[in-house]
Amino acid sequence: MEFDQLRYFLQVCQHRSFTRAAEALGISQPALSRSIQKLEAELGQPVLERKNRSLDLTAAGTLLRSRAQQILDLVEDTAAEISDDGRTGRLRVAAIPTIAPYFLPGLLKAFSTKYPEANLIVQEQTTDDLLRSCSQGEIDVGFLVLPVSARYLQIEPLFEEELLLVLPPDHELLSRKQIRLSHLQPYPFVLLSEAHCLSDGIISFCRQRSFQPVMMERTSQLAMVQELVSLSHGISMVPEMARKLDRSKRRVYRSLSGTPPKREIAMIWNPYRFESRLQKAFLQQVRDHVQESATPDRRRAQA
């Protein structure tokens, strides 16, 4: 039994498809099939139940998936621990799409300046994929929005940020000195697709206050939400960090009066995996970066 066979098998388990697993691995589908067949021959029984349109694990396959992940994790952690010098090595970081382009650039620049020999790998993932990747050791540190259900993962809240109302510059609501949630009821919303937790947070905030927003359009990128608002397709709410990087004059941001909607940003990692000195330095860099970037109000709240 070879390490590559175990890696290939785990990819098939993840994708439930030889075609998609082969694409992810960068090998041909026949080569992947031969590797799994050889593995089954060595074990003396099938690990996959092949159906017309899907693959299921046999009892042997379920056991092998658990043990294969443990074996590969142990090998990877051992190699990382032996070569851990606190300066070099690979660090895999992931964030959800409504955090990554706004929070990560400044953080990664500061870390790369301090640790120029480190190899940083950055990904954007939805919350569910990020949690899975962190649990399986595919990423070292992740950034997402609370609350999440995450067993066996370390979660460290970092800060809260307001969700701001975004409007086209000629919108009639801008004539009001204060804009309340109830004032938004007649207007359609532009939101992100269901895969993004930001939309869930906005809808939940509205429903808790007996207001069901009417969705006019959904899109997959926050920048497109902002552009559609500029074109008067609707109104929306966006994180404060997105407003800070927006230099456009074709949209206006306002706080809702009363208790405005907020979201809580957190970082997560797997405490059961080996934590390199580089990873520990990155976690501290995040804390320092958040503290340095904090507004006076947030600093007082953290004190």
Side-chain angles (χ1 to χ4, degrees), residues 67-191:
R67 298 294 169 80
Q69 190 66 62
Q70 293 174 12
I71 291 169
L72 293 178
D73 287 349
L74 182 60
V75 170
E76 184 175 339
D77 287 351
T78 301
E81 189 168 357
I82 290 173
S83 61
D84 185 21
D85 60 7
R87 304 185 317 275
T88 62
R90 180 184 63 180
L91 190 67
R92 301 160 299 181
V93 179
I96 61 174
T98 58
I99 293 178
Y102 313 107
F103 179 72
L104 290 186
L107 170 65
L108 298 179
K109 182 179 179 181
F111 187 76
S112 295
T113 300
K114 188 177 294 187
Y115 298 91
E117 298 178 82
N119 179 22
L120 285 172
I121 299 173
V122 184
Q123 304 174 30
E124 279 191 2
Q125 296 183 351
T126 61
T127 299
D128 289 343
D129 287 342
L130 193 154
L131 292 172
R132 177 192 56 76
S133 296
C134 196
S135 295
Q136 296 181 1
E138 296 173 2
I139 63 169
D140 300 305
V141 183
F143 297 92
L144 41 63
V145 173
L146 299 180
V148 293
S149 177
R151 297 179 62 190
Y152 312 119
L153 294 178
Q154 184 70 40
I155 302 175
E156 182 175 329
L158 295 174
F159 61 91
E160 282 189 339
E161 69 166 346
E162 185 179 348
L163 300 182
L164 299 171
L165 180 66
V166 56
L167 303 163
D170 58 350
H171 200 281
E172 59 185 358
L173 281 175
L174 292 174
S175 62
R176 294 180 176 272
K177 291 183 178 180
Q178 292 185 332
I179 302 177
R180 300 186 178 278
L181 185 64
S182 59
H183 296 151
L184 309 184
Q185 290 191 6
Y187 306 102
F189 272 66
V190 179
L191 295 177

Side-chain angles (χ1 to χ4, degrees), residues 211-259:
F211 166 40
Q212 175 64 45
V214 177
M215 269 72 75
M216 176 62 71
E217 295 187 52
R218 284 188 181 268
T219 182
S220 61
Q221 295 186 6
L222 193 55
M224 181 56 70
V225 170
Q226 292 168 297
E227 288 300 320
L228 289 173
V229 169
S230 299
L231 296 171
S232 299
H233 284 231
I235 63 176
S236 192
M237 297 181 194
V238 301
E240 186 178 2
M241 62 175 66
R243 189 278 302 271
K244 289 180 179 178
L245 295 182
D246 189 1
R247 300 292 180 263
S248 174
K249 296 181 180 180
R250 297 185 299 116
R251 42 192 170 260
V252 178
Y253 298 89
R254 292 279 298 271
S255 293
L256 286 173
S257 62
T259 302

